[in-house]
Amino acid sequence: MELARDLIVAGTAGEEVDSVGAKRLLQGGVLNKVGAVVIGEPSNNNFYVAEKGALWLKITTYGKTAHGSMPG
């Protein structure tokens, strides 16, 4: 099954400090047309409106492996 729209997976910086990565996505307009967001860990023990369910994905990526100490 193919997705009807794009899937954006964002691993952002600063989650434990100032959420600078998430703020940058928001300020840059990347999230303007996003229909839903999954936050893996709510902060300050607040509850957020959500839907319960499951999503099974098969993802194919292209590229080559590398590491910061030995970039390809």
Side-chain angles (χ1 to χ4, degrees):
M1 179 174 149
E2 290 188 29
L3 295 174
R5 304 234 192 281
D6 291 338
L7 172 67
I8 300 170
V9 178
T12 58
E15 186 264 332
E16 295 289 337
V17 182
D18 58 4
S19 299
V20 67
K23 288 177 184 175
R24 187 69 181 247
L25 286 176
L26 185 61
Q27 292 166 349
V30 175
L31 304 177
N32 286 350
K33 295 183 180 180
V34 171
V37 175
V38 175
I39 301 172
E41 179 181 3
S43 61
N44 297 324
N45 293 320
N46 292 323
F47 292 96
Y48 298 93
V49 176
E51 294 291 332
K52 184 176 180 181
L55 175 64
W56 298 93
L57 301 174
K58 178 180 179 181
I59 299 173
T60 303
T61 62
Y62 301 93
K64 63 180 181 176
T65 60
H67 186 271
S69 65
M70 298 177 0

